[in-house]
Amino acid sequence: MNRLEVSELTVAFGRRRSVAVDRLSFTLAEHERLGIIGQSGSGKSVTGLAMIGLLPENAHVTGSILLNGQEMVGRPEKELRRLRGNEVSMIFQEPMTALDPTMRVGRQIGEVVALHHRDRRGGIQEEVVEWLERVGMTDPERVAHSYPDELSGGQRQRALVAMALANEPGLVICDEPTTALDVIVQRQILDLLDVQLRGRASLFVSHDLAVVRQVCDRVLVMLQGRVVESGRIDDIIEAPQHPYTRALVAAARIGNHPRGTRLPTAADFTEGPRP
Ligand code: ADP
Ligand code: MG
């Protein structure tokens, strides 16, 4: 069974029903890593949020999202909460907003551990410290007793990875998990994710082709809510078909472009406003 089967997913916002995601279809097999690439506003985050049932109330959703065979679209919030706890979790771009600033990091991770391991023998705090070690914290006890603003950006992102994985989800949605970090820390967190996402399915949202290449097998290229191209990441980078994908690949190789080269924008690939 596929972890995810998405068909004809459409998400529109507000009374004017402006379309953010347009008839999106894809499947994600067990243990597979799928990237979604596209520039800002192309519908990547909206897609990720839909997978975990976290879209805001003004979102109109049609189509189907089967998570482990269970329909997410139209499911009551109470049941979505249970799925979020057990089967899917999300790593957000901004750890400072995803973590509660008023609560020690250890307690936040402990709450996730407590929810999912009611029958465990060991103490919750022991398991929290184990998770902090697993995500590469050098001083896990101290980190557990810290508040989020006492940690560096990289440490906060590691804490968020621990929190997302502590319930052992089969599917992890990562939305630009390294975008807010400097390049060295970004590399460390990508290495960490590469290890920690093993054995799970993951959907990895990024505007950065190089980042997606490091962690994903396949990729969907989104432009204004639609998939314009999809396939194995290496094939796409070697031989992009759609002009927009070609522009993304060229932008990732900006070092080869003479200074002052204008990079194309989404507007260059669309024929005016949509109906
Ligand atoms: P990105 O690819 O940068 O992650 P998003 O998925 O965040 O893009 O956004 C896609 C489109 O949906 C954008 O046009 C955005 O303005 C719109 N959108 C996202 N969230 C909302 C919301 N809560 N209300 C209205 N429009 C939204
Ligand atoms: Mg986004």
Side-chain angles (χ1 to χ4, degrees):
M1 183 174 66
N2 286 315
R3 282 284 176 199
L4 260 185
E5 283 176 41
V6 176
S7 49
E8 297 280 310
L9 176 70
T10 298
V11 182
F13 284 104
R15 281 203 286 157
R16 293 186 55 228
R17 306 262 165 141
S18 58
V19 175
V21 174
D22 194 2
R23 288 163 288 160
L24 176 68
S25 299
F26 67 89
T27 61
L28 183 60
E30 203 119 337
H31 302 179
E32 194 180 21
R33 296 183 191 180
L34 178 67
I36 299 186
I37 187 121
Q39 64 190 43
S40 184
S42 53
K44 308 182 299 295
S45 291
V46 167
T47 301
L49 290 169
M51 301 304 123
I52 187 166
L54 278 179
L55 284 172
E57 279 191 358
N58 64 338
H60 304 272
V61 188
T62 57
S64 166
I65 303 170
L66 292 179
L67 169 68
N68 300 325
Q70 303 159 94
E71 181 58 66
M72 300 282 282
V73 175
R75 210 175 186 88
E77 174 55 30
K78 196 169 155 228
E79 291 178 38
L80 286 175
R81 214 174 298 143
R82 185 182 55 76
L83 292 176
R84 279 202 288 272
N86 295 313
E87 300 183 37
V88 56
S89 71
M90 185 150 179
I91 299 172
F92 294 93
Q93 167 170 5
E94 243 318 314
M96 214 39 202
T97 50
L99 292 168
D100 182 342
T102 67
M103 213 196 273
R104 290 180 207 274
V105 167
R107 221 183 112 202
Q108 296 189 52
I109 299 171
E111 286 190 350
V112 179
V113 170
L115 274 175
H116 302 285
H117 296 264
R118 289 197 187 87
D119 50 341
R120 284 163 346 100
R121 297 198 185 158
I124 284 174
Q125 277 317 303
E126 276 94 35
E127 190 161 333
V128 166
V129 168
E130 271 170 40
W131 270 109
L132 289 171
E133 269 171 356
R134 223 170 286 167
V135 296
M137 298 287 199
T138 43
D139 192 354
E141 269 95 6
R142 191 187 60 80
V143 169
H145 283 97
S146 302
Y147 289 94
D149 69 358
E150 297 169 332
L151 303 179
S152 71
Q155 284 175 319
R156 281 200 286 268
Q157 198 55 289
R158 285 180 198 275
L160 212 59
V161 172
M163 214 158 91
L165 298 182
N167 59 14
E168 299 285 0
L171 171 67
V172 182
I173 314 292
C174 303
D175 187 356
E176 308 266 10
T178 62
T179 301
L181 305 170
D182 70 65
V183 282
I184 306 274
V185 179
Q186 175 167 342
R187 182 72 221 205
Q188 291 167 349
I189 299 292
L190 284 177
D191 288 344
L192 169 70
L193 286 172
D194 193 32
V195 172
Q196 292 297 333
L197 295 178
R198 251 168 235 166
R200 312 174 203 275
S202 52
L203 192 67
F204 197 101
V205 165
S206 178
H207 68 286
D208 188 333
L209 204 54
V211 164
V212 168
R213 186 178 215 173
Q214 275 180 55
V215 284
C216 295
D217 317 306
R218 268 197 312 138
V219 68
L220 307 177
V221 182
M222 277 182 90
L223 172 64
Q224 298 197 327
R226 294 188 195 157
V227 171
V228 294
E229 187 164 355
S230 67
R232 292 195 35 224
I233 181 81
D234 290 337
D235 296 343
I236 299 253
I237 289 173
E238 284 302 310
Q241 301 298 309
H242 192 278
Y244 178 65
T245 319
R246 276 190 225 130
L248 281 178
V249 172
R253 295 181 186 135
I254 185 92
N256 301 332
H257 286 245
R259 193 180 282 261
T261 307
R262 188 187 74 93
L263 286 174
T265 64
D268 293 326
F269 306 99
T270 44
E271 301 105 49
R274 273 192 289 187

